[in-house]
Amino acid sequence: MRKVLIVRLDAIGDYILWRNCLRFIRQSAKYRNTHLTVLGNPAWRDLAEKFDSDCADEWIWVENRDDLFRKGRENVLPYCVWHRRVAAEQSKLKGILAARGFDEVISPCAFPDTLLDELILGIAPATISVANGDASRMARFIRLVDAGREPFVFFRNRSITAAITGETCDVDLDLDIAERPRRTNKVLFFKGASHWTRRWPRRRWKKLAELLPPGFEAVDAPRHSSLADFAQFAASCAAVVSNDTMALHMAAALGVPAVGVVNGVSGRDSFWPYPPSLGDKVAICEPKQVPQIHIPLLGSRLAQYLALSSVSAEDVGTKLANVLKTPIDINSIGHL
């Protein structure tokens, strides 16, 4: 039996937008009779094990993922410092994977990534990746597939999957919860984010809670819960407000109305705004402009945070009223 490895080491939101494509690959004529292994990020392990365990014969979880992709330090430490550690960690993992005897490795990531290329090349006779990047990069792969013309990642994933399998991929963005919880009037405030430039100030959250109409209650995400439990909780809410796109993707997959508060830069076009055909219940609230701050290293990030901070609770409240289809009286409370 042919042994195939699929590599997905990106973040939770990326997996939510791709997971149904994995099921499509598993069921396709080309791969249904292969031994399919997924090399995954443990950040979304419980979500995969809860909803997608039947999509692969084996899962390998890379606990030291941060040592393989130390991008957060690229602009601070010299290349020779951080890359030496990356190369050492990648060498160990490549040796383990090469010994497994895979016939084919697939990297369906929608974005070019030099560090990911270095990890997957050479561990199987056939290597499939996405046709992004310069000619020198693309020449190193056995086969490249087209990501299509759509900028939004979910649609790019479908195009990539179609090219890999040779079949039309028309999967939906959904998360099938067997026992759907009863919908409540709770509005979930998801305040966490992977980077400080995407965290809306606390005072804005507080004001937004005051703007909710009678009968609606603001609640925070359950602490220390698994992703599967978080999905179950989000499915019970009337709406989700988030400054992180992961929770937006989760809400869209569950069919829960949502409002994203974004800094106007991070993830534009790729992760937001949502195309109406995909998420007509997902609204985006972004700053009117992003200031230019000329400070080495910190300037662009500080500008993004200040832009996010300029988004008012009233603006978000108006978007929330639209997705809830419930009026919110933003004039009853003074502007912040």
Side-chain angles (χ1 to χ4, degrees):
M1 180 179 288
R2 195 158 59 101
K3 298 173 67 176
V4 178
L5 174 68
I6 297 179
V7 179
R8 289 297 317 208
L9 294 174
D10 35 16
I12 299 169
D14 299 274
Y15 181 72
I16 294 171
L17 293 177
W18 176 76
R19 50 176 295 277
N20 284 338
C21 290
L22 172 60
R23 184 169 299 278
F24 187 89
I25 293 172
R26 169 81 286 179
Q27 296 172 349
S28 68
K30 186 175 181 180
Y31 291 100
R32 69 169 63 109
N33 294 320
T34 63
H35 186 280
L36 199 61
T37 301
V38 175
L39 186 72
N41 181 353
W44 39 264
R45 177 174 181 170
D46 78 276
L47 191 68
E49 291 180 340
K50 174 70 174 180
F51 297 104
D52 308 316
S53 61
D54 60 330
C55 293
D57 299 290
E58 185 179 3
W59 301 76
I60 301 174
W61 303 105
V62 182
E63 300 295 340
N64 62 335
R65 176 185 175 276
D66 290 343
D67 289 330
L68 300 172
F69 304 95
R70 300 170 73 84
K71 297 180 183 179
R73 304 180 186 181
E74 288 183 21
N75 295 327
V76 178
L77 298 175
Y79 176 89
C80 62
V81 174
W82 63 263
H83 194 267
R84 187 181 298 114
R85 177 69 180 275
V86 167
E89 293 297 328
Q90 286 198 353
S91 178
K92 288 190 288 187
L93 181 56
K94 284 173 74 88
I96 294 171
L97 296 174
R100 300 290 295 272
F102 293 108
D103 298 293
E104 180 177 279
V105 58
I106 303 172
S107 175
C109 183
F111 303 104
D113 189 322
T114 302
L115 294 178
L116 183 59
D117 291 350
E118 293 174 1
L119 173 65
I120 65 174
L121 283 168
I123 61 177
T127 307
I128 299 176
S129 188
V130 179
N132 289 319
D134 56 36
S136 62
R137 170 189 177 266
M138 294 190 289
R140 302 167 70 191
F141 291 93
I142 300 299
R143 180 183 168 210
L144 291 161
V145 297
D146 188 13
R149 301 287 184 269
E150 293 281 357
F152 195 78
V153 168
F154 177 77
F155 293 123
R156 290 172 67 88
N157 288 337
R158 294 205 307 193
S159 296
I160 292 167
T161 302
I164 290 172
T165 61
E167 301 177 17
T168 301
C169 179
D170 56 357
V171 298
D172 295 321
L173 176 61
D174 60 17
L175 183 60
D176 185 16
I177 295 179
E179 296 183 8
R180 197 80 178 188
R182 182 177 60 85
R183 190 66 63 87
T184 68
N185 279 344
K186 294 180 179 179
V187 177
L188 174 59
F189 284 5
F190 191 87
K191 304 172 184 176
S194 57
H195 199 275
W196 60 271
T197 58
R198 297 197 287 270
R199 293 176 190 149
W200 202 37
R202 291 192 177 190
R203 67 183 185 279
R204 303 292 194 199
W205 289 108
K206 181 179 179 181
K207 178 62 69 173
L208 181 62
E210 297 172 355
L211 289 170
L212 294 183
F216 286 90
E217 174 190 3
V219 294
D220 291 335
R223 300 187 65 181
H224 310 301
S225 66
S226 68
L227 277 173
D229 289 340
F230 173 74
Q232 192 81 16
F233 181 79
S236 71
C237 293
V240 174
V241 181
S242 175
N243 54 197
D244 185 85
T245 52
M246 181 282 286
L248 287 186
H249 304 327
M250 182 74 82
L254 294 168
V256 176
V259 177
V261 190
V262 299
N263 60 27
V265 177
S266 304
R268 175 181 286 277
D269 296 328
S270 297
F271 296 106
W272 62 268
Y274 260 71
S277 61
L278 183 62
D280 58 355
K281 296 180 180 179
V282 180
I284 296 296
C285 208
E286 62 176 309
K288 294 178 175 59
Q289 63 180 5
V290 178
Q292 299 297 315
I293 301 177
H294 301 288
I295 303 176
L297 299 180
L298 184 62
S300 61
R301 294 179 177 181
L302 180 59
Q304 291 172 27
Y305 176 73
L306 292 176
L308 179 64
S309 302
S310 71
V311 178
S312 71
E314 287 80 7
D315 289 341
V316 178
T318 300
K319 296 279 188 178
L320 182 59
N322 291 336
V323 298
L324 282 173
K325 297 180 170 45
T326 302
I328 293 178
D329 184 7
I330 64 172
N331 296 315
S332 64
I333 300 177
H335 286 271
L336 180 65

